[in-house]
Amino acid sequence: MDSIKMNIQYVYNWLPEEDILKQGANAIACNRALYDGSREGSDFLGWVRLPSSITDDQFKEIESTAESLRSACDVVVVVGIGGSYLGARAVIDALNNSFDRLQTKRDHPLIVYAGNNLSEDYLYELIKYLENTSFGIINISKSGTTTEPAVAFRLLKDLLEDKVGKSEARNRIVAITDAKKGALRTLASMEKYKTFVIPDDVGGRYSVLTPVGLLPIAVAGFDIRKLVQGAATMEKNTGPNIAFEYNLSAIYAVIRNELYKKGKKIEILVNYHPKLHYFSEWWKQLFGESEGKENKGIFPAAVDFTTDLHSMGQWIQEGERTIFETVISIKEPNYRVEIPYDSQNLDGLNYLAGKRVDEVNKMAELGTRIAHVEGGVPNILIEIPKLDEESMGKLIYFFEKACGISGYILGVNPFNQPGVEAYKRNMFALLEKPGYEDETKAIKQKLSTLYKG
Ligand code: PA5
């Protein structure tokens, strides 16, 4: 099968090829550091060799747990936030029928999500919906202490136990967490839930190819072996001994860093298929959390075209020239729809009669690329052959590897996220969590002086 292709000619106006090649040695050194652990974050490199190291027994355990949930449940709630949910959602949405939710009959449980926000209305409406369904829960938290999923799980566990009894609820709850630490590990051991371990050396946003992503994806009915096979192909194609010219992740990492140095501070990930919306959300977390630190880092943004051409398109065409685009293009859609001929032609569309909708989409894509490049927006084009498990696996690993290399080029630790603690400290202080007494006092003082009203 074709692999991922990358077309970088639309950055040459800003970044000549020779300037990219000059950075090759540094990028390859950064790639090697992901293998020899010689730089910061070396405790979190378990994802690098992950695709090629998943064993048949590991696949079988995930597949058989998925099968039990599939046979017991019409709906499975994936509880998790950030890296503990976005990867699964990215793949499931990309591969699923767009109207899965509306189908009355399906051969797999409907996957819904919880624990990724603190909205009372969301939880109320979810609970009301689940009251009339046969549901199960996959509860995912690496730390096992994150507030959003913990709140959701407490509510959903109560609901499930009330509905089916404690013993049947146990058969329908799976916990994915740290091997030893955290409240979720303790709770899962006490309640005797089926569990999977998130390896210590794989951080949340790099965990989609562990049970964190693989179990929900398997429950949704997709082939996790093909997904991992795709990732393993990219693992091989971006290995430590691959020359810069052939290592797509390294080239992409160099280009984005060089554009950043030239003032292109915002990268917009573009798709032309709404199914990729959550892939962009996963990508935003991957790059945003990995690189946005020490007062530097590209701001990762995303748009769904052609939808957003009618809103954000104006800004992209003519706003501040601090952006570049990375477009994910799908060569061949999975289905065919032709635009029909109409004898009256009142809408004036007969010039398109007989053409596939995708041909129109592709011309919109090409026309947009030309317009944006001429408007001052460098453009990196990434093409996948089609939306299937293998391509998704390739894309995931391509970006993970690029992110590791890119973070090292930027000079940050791409595997920590110290900044996400700040809001939590304030929230716990405001909620008067035990252990936060000093912070509570301090924040109340701050509120009464600085943030009055
Ligand atoms: O990438 C990360 O590490 C984070 O986004 C986490 O995945 C997220 O905060 C959820 O954490 P946890 O899995 O510990 O509940």
Side-chain angles (χ1 to χ4, degrees):
M1 193 201 188
D2 285 354
S3 200
I4 290 183
K5 289 189 179 135
M6 190 163 71
N7 184 341
I8 59 171
Q9 63 174 300
Y10 305 101
V11 305
Y12 291 158
N13 283 350
W14 296 266
L15 194 56
E17 194 176 7
E18 55 272 24
D19 289 3
I20 299 171
L21 291 172
K22 270 187 214 150
Q23 302 301 323
N26 182 32
I28 290 308
C30 293
N31 191 29
R32 295 221 169 104
L34 295 171
Y35 290 83
D36 64 27
S38 56
R39 298 198 190 184
E40 275 190 293
S42 58
D43 289 348
F44 288 96
L45 298 176
W47 59 273
V48 176
R49 296 180 176 89
L50 184 65
S52 62
S53 62
I54 301 178
T55 64
D56 192 49
D57 284 348
Q58 287 170 327
F59 278 124
K60 281 187 179 141
E61 193 185 354
I62 295 170
E63 285 159 349
S64 82
T65 307
E67 199 40 56
S68 327
L69 286 170
R70 285 162 68 90
S71 55
C73 311
D74 294 332
V75 176
V76 169
V77 190
V78 175
V79 176
I81 193 164
S84 287
Y85 118 96
L86 283 169
R89 187 158 195 180
V91 174
I92 293 169
D93 278 18
L95 301 179
N96 234 349
N97 184 304
S98 303
F99 302 97
D100 197 39
R101 254 154 230 280
L102 302 179
Q103 278 168 352
T104 43
K105 283 201 176 125
R106 61 178 80 75
D107 60 3
H108 55 269
L110 180 69
I111 308 292
V112 299
Y113 302 89
N116 55 68
N117 62 62
L118 286 166
S119 163
E120 190 161 338
D121 286 355
Y122 185 94
L123 282 166
Y124 176 87
E125 288 162 7
L126 177 64
I127 288 165
K128 284 288 150 207
Y129 167 68
L130 292 173
E131 272 170 5
N132 302 313
T133 67
S134 162
F135 78 96
I137 305 170
I138 304 175
N139 188 15
I140 310 171
S141 176
K142 186 173 185 206
S143 63
T145 55
T146 308
T147 310
E148 289 90 337
V151 167
F153 183 66
R154 181 182 277 215
L155 286 160
L156 297 178
K157 173 179 183 283
D158 277 359
L159 177 68
L160 188 57
E161 288 178 353
D162 285 350
K163 257 176 85 82
V164 299
K166 228 172 161 22
S167 151
E168 176 56 15
R170 194 169 289 139
N171 296 330
R172 297 185 187 193
I173 295 176
V174 179
I176 307 179
T177 189
D178 185 86
K180 298 193 189 83
K181 298 187 300 284
L184 179 54
R185 172 54 61 186
T186 313
L187 192 145
S189 309
M190 300 284 287
E191 298 281 7
K192 300 197 172 44
Y193 296 147
K194 167 74 190 159
T195 61
F196 287 92
V197 169
I198 308 176
D200 275 350
D201 58 359
V202 180
R205 58 191 174 276
Y206 293 85
S207 69
V208 50
L209 301 173
T210 72
V212 169
L214 297 182
L215 181 63
I217 292 166
V219 173
F222 300 109
D223 188 334
I224 54 173
R225 292 180 191 247
K226 285 192 184 148
L227 181 81
V228 171
Q229 184 50 51
T233 303
M234 282 315 282
E235 181 190 331
K236 195 161 149 243
N237 294 349
T238 61
N241 297 320
I242 302 293
F244 178 67
E245 292 79 346
Y246 300 103
N247 186 332
L248 296 189
S249 295
I251 297 170
Y252 172 62
V254 162
I255 291 173
R256 55 199 304 288
N257 275 282
E258 289 300 300
L259 290 174
Y260 180 59
K261 284 188 217 157
K262 291 177 189 293
K264 305 295 180 191
K265 308 277 186 195
I266 300 165
E267 178 176 9
I268 305 176
L269 191 72
V270 178
N271 69 67
Y272 282 81
H273 293 265
K275 287 178 172 202
L276 286 174
H277 178 83
Y278 267 91
F279 187 80
S280 297
E281 295 300 308
W282 170 84
W283 173 91
K284 272 158 55 181
Q285 185 202 356
L286 180 67
F287 281 89
E289 233 178 16
S290 299
E291 294 194 314
K293 50 196 71 158
E294 299 173 29
N295 297 327
K296 51 188 177 180
I298 292 170
F299 183 82
V303 288
D304 301 325
F305 284 170
T306 59
T307 314
D308 293 333
L309 281 171
H310 298 259
S311 54
M312 295 303 291
Q314 172 61 37
W315 199 104
I316 295 170
Q317 188 67 47
E318 294 182 349
E320 196 180 38
R321 302 297 72 187
T322 47
I323 55 174
F324 66 100
E325 288 180 312
T326 297
V327 179
I328 299 178
S329 182
I330 300 169
K331 190 170 175 199
E332 185 62 34
N334 287 322
Y335 303 104
R336 256 188 109 84
V337 177
E338 283 179 13
I339 297 168
Y341 176 78
D342 185 295
S343 58
Q344 287 190 294
N345 196 28
L346 295 177
D347 52 14
L349 278 187
N350 271 356
Y351 78 104
L352 296 176
K355 288 194 195 299
R356 292 179 66 179
V357 173
D358 192 58
E359 194 177 334
V360 183
N361 203 21
K362 288 286 191 311
M363 291 309 109
E365 187 181 320
L366 180 57
T368 304
R369 183 174 313 125
I370 294 166
H372 287 184
V373 170
E374 288 178 359
V377 182
N379 184 296
I380 302 166
L381 177 61
I382 293 167
E383 188 191 79
I384 58 171
K386 63 197 289 229
L387 263 190
D388 61 9
E389 287 93 334
E390 197 177 332
S391 289
M392 290 308 292
K394 285 178 183 166
L395 263 190
I396 286 168
Y397 192 89
F398 163 79
F399 281 122
E400 285 182 346
K401 178 57 84 63
C403 188
I405 298 173
S406 183
Y408 281 160
I409 293 175
L410 183 66
V412 298
N413 175 356
F415 307 111
N416 66 5
Q417 54 284 328
V420 299
E421 296 309 316
Y423 98 90
K424 292 185 193 168
R425 271 194 305 276
N426 285 345
M427 178 178 76
F428 293 145
L430 291 164
L431 290 168
E432 304 188 14
K433 183 174 174 172
Y436 282 77
E437 290 75 12
D438 290 347
E439 286 87 344
T440 300
K441 230 161 112 192
I443 205 160
K444 282 190 173 164
Q445 174 67 23
K446 207 183 276 183
L447 281 171
S448 67
T449 52
L450 284 174
Y451 298 100
K452 271 188 278 188

